[in-house]
Amino acid sequence: MGPYTAFNAEKAYDDADKLRTPFRDDPLFDPGKHIDAAGNSNMEEALRDFCEELRHEHNCRAFIATDIDIPTHQQAKERNENRGEDELEIAGMDPLAQSVAFVAHSDAVLFLFTSGGLTTGVGAETGGILGEFHLRRGNPATTHKPGQRVSTYADETFGSATIDELPKGYDIQYDRFDSKEELHTSVQRWFDNLIRETRDTDLPVFLPSETYSSETNE
């Protein structure tokens, strides 16, 4: 998971057309390569490429949230207004609820932040997801999704007080990287540790709605 929109100076500054490129240097995002169906340079395509590399290099079933076509409530409303008489009504789901469901059923969860992406809202969503799984330090819940199954990676040039402070507030893995190669090495090390720690046990699905209360029946 990570920002899907690239920072584009032309969207923010009137004189950005004088720049060599309106995009920031980024270890994952190449504006000349990562082009979406509309012809725009798109950070989401960079994340999709990285997931493809994870599948081939680390033998895992990696995906990003947008790979799964679940409409938001607004998208569902628009589709239902234009559906045919023989088509069933579609139910929507808000993006945070979708992300919580993906995290619940995933063996490992990777939050990825680089300097080329717009992170407005993503930091808040990350904290919301981690809170759902009782990973804030000091949370009194008696059960939680194991923090070693959740990791955040940020490139060395990325700066965000919210993201930088995540390991202080939440019991999760955290690492920095300079290049895509270094990121892959770090992720492989994380996978190896996770497999080693869970070699003789299953990685159960954790549903926060079923284990939210820290109270016990007396």
Side-chain angles (χ1 to χ4, degrees):
M1 298 182 186
Y4 293 142
T5 303
F7 173 82
N8 185 342
E10 292 179 346
K11 304 292 185 181
Y13 305 103
D14 294 335
D15 59 350
D17 58 338
K18 299 177 182 179
L19 298 173
R20 177 181 59 81
T21 172
F23 300 100
R24 292 175 175 170
D25 290 336
D26 189 275
L28 303 182
F29 173 60
D30 180 349
K33 172 185 176 183
H34 297 120
I35 309 296
D36 61 21
N40 299 316
S41 299
N42 196 323
M43 176 64 76
E44 183 176 346
E45 298 303 315
L47 293 178
R48 186 164 284 112
D49 267 6
F50 181 67
C51 276
E52 188 70 21
E53 293 172 4
L54 287 178
R55 296 186 193 105
H56 290 290
E57 296 186 24
H58 307 294
N59 193 31
C60 63
R61 296 187 296 271
F63 70 95
I64 59 176
T66 52
D67 285 340
I68 303 173
D69 185 22
I70 300 177
T72 63
H73 292 293
Q74 181 60 37
Q75 290 171 335
K77 178 182 178 181
E78 294 172 356
R79 294 186 190 181
N80 288 329
E81 290 174 349
N82 297 298
R83 67 189 172 93
E85 295 182 357
D86 59 341
E87 294 179 325
L88 297 175
E89 184 173 355
I90 300 172
M93 190 176 187
D94 71 81
L96 180 57
Q98 293 182 33
S99 295
V100 168
F102 296 149
V103 171
H105 290 81
S106 296
D107 290 340
V109 182
L110 192 159
F111 294 99
L112 182 59
F113 295 93
T114 62
S115 55
L118 284 176
T119 59
T120 303
V122 180
E125 182 176 354
T126 301
I129 292 170
L130 298 179
E132 283 285 336
F133 292 93
H134 313 164
L135 288 170
R136 177 174 284 283
R137 295 185 186 279
N139 189 309
T142 55
T143 58
H144 58 85
K145 190 178 187 75
Q148 69 266 29
R149 292 170 60 184
V150 181
S151 190
T152 299
Y153 290 92
D155 82 83
E156 291 290 357
T157 63
F158 175 79
S160 167
T162 300
I163 305 305
D164 291 344
E165 292 291 318
L166 283 178
K168 300 295 184 181
Y170 298 89
D171 186 19
I172 60 173
Q173 309 296 301
Y174 184 88
D175 206 352
R176 289 271 191 173
F177 63 94
D178 281 316
S179 64
K180 181 185 285 189
E181 292 73 23
E182 185 177 354
L183 174 60
H184 274 293
T185 299
S186 183
V187 170
Q188 182 62 67
R189 185 165 55 246
W190 174 43
F191 284 171
D192 290 343
N193 288 337
L194 182 60
I195 292 172
R196 188 178 303 111
E197 292 177 6
T198 58
R199 183 163 293 157
D200 299 322
T201 60
D202 293 328
L203 292 171
V205 171
F206 182 90
L207 299 176
S209 59
E210 295 181 359
T211 54
Y212 193 78
S213 176
S214 62
E215 298 178 357
T216 56
N217 295 323
E218 296 182 357

